[in-house]
Amino acid sequence: RRAGQALGDAGVRAAALNAFGAATRFYAGGLELAATDDPARPALLFGLGRARMHAEHTGEELLADAAEALLAAGDRERAAEARALLGRLLRRQGHGQLGMRHLREAAALLEGAPASRSHAFVLVQLAGALIIGGESAEAVEAGPAALAIIDDLGLDSLRAEALQWIGAGRLDSGD
């Protein structure tokens, strides 16, 4: 158990450094050592799915499994993040409608939830997908909602992406 936890922690550190190839190896090792009922398993699934998405442009099944496991464990925020990443990945693979469905489901999971980094992340991902999909009117709503959370919580790492999609939506709508 301690070895699996150490590998999971190493995956977190590698992912924080955008070393997603290394993170993939660490998370995969931790997952291999985790029992099916291990409470750390949903987080390992999420970490591995996210790392594979960034490193290999794969991980659909991992992200779907992570979303379900995190939701079952009561972690709606990370479940929504996993669902949003799955939506983003599917859209990049050319499955636009399916990807958008997952992004909308991610946003619905956090509807009415308190402001959080996860909530802002999901709304930014949704705004981006809406802009790319030509739905700028709806994106103009999601982007500012994300920016309000970002400003309230001081989430500077998400600010540029939110502003990018807000600007694109305003430009597209003729503002």
Side-chain angles (χ1 to χ4, degrees), residues 94-118:
H95 307 289
Q97 289 180 339
L98 181 58
M100 185 57 80
R101 189 181 91 220
H102 285 289
L103 283 159
R104 289 183 192 282
E105 288 173 5
L109 278 173
L110 297 178
E111 201 167 290
S116 68
R117 187 205 167 284
S118 295

Side-chain angles (χ1 to χ4, degrees), residues 9-168:
D9 291 345
V12 169
R13 286 190 297 279
L17 297 170
N18 291 330
F20 294 110
T24 295
R25 291 187 299 278
F26 290 131
Y27 283 126
L31 196 57
E32 190 175 307
L33 296 174
T36 56
D37 62 345
D38 188 329
R41 190 171 182 78
L44 290 167
L45 284 167
F46 176 69
L48 181 56
R50 183 180 57 187
R52 282 207 176 137
M53 184 199 82
H54 287 297
E56 304 165 3
H57 306 289
T58 64
E60 306 86 28
E61 189 174 323
L62 288 164
L63 289 167
D65 291 348
E68 289 180 29
L70 288 162
L71 196 55
D75 190 345
R76 293 179 76 78
E77 289 188 353
R78 276 200 298 178
E81 278 193 63
R83 184 77 60 200
L85 288 172
L86 175 59
R88 186 167 124 187
L89 178 60
L90 289 168
R91 287 183 57 78
R92 286 183 178 170
Q93 293 174 342
H95 307 289
Q97 289 180 339
L98 181 58
M100 185 57 80
R101 189 181 91 220
H102 285 289
L103 283 159
R104 289 183 192 282
E105 288 173 5
L109 278 173
L110 297 178
E111 201 167 290
S116 68
R117 187 205 167 284
S118 295
H119 201 166
F121 175 81
V122 166
L123 289 174
V124 167
Q125 298 308 306
L126 178 61
L130 289 166
I131 288 295
I132 292 168
E135 300 176 52
S136 58
E138 194 176 346
V140 169
E141 295 175 23
L147 190 59
I149 294 170
I150 289 165
D151 287 341
D152 286 348
L153 300 179
L155 302 171
D156 292 334
S157 64
L158 291 173
R159 184 180 316 281
E161 190 175 0
L163 289 171
Q164 168 190 337
W165 297 126
I166 291 169

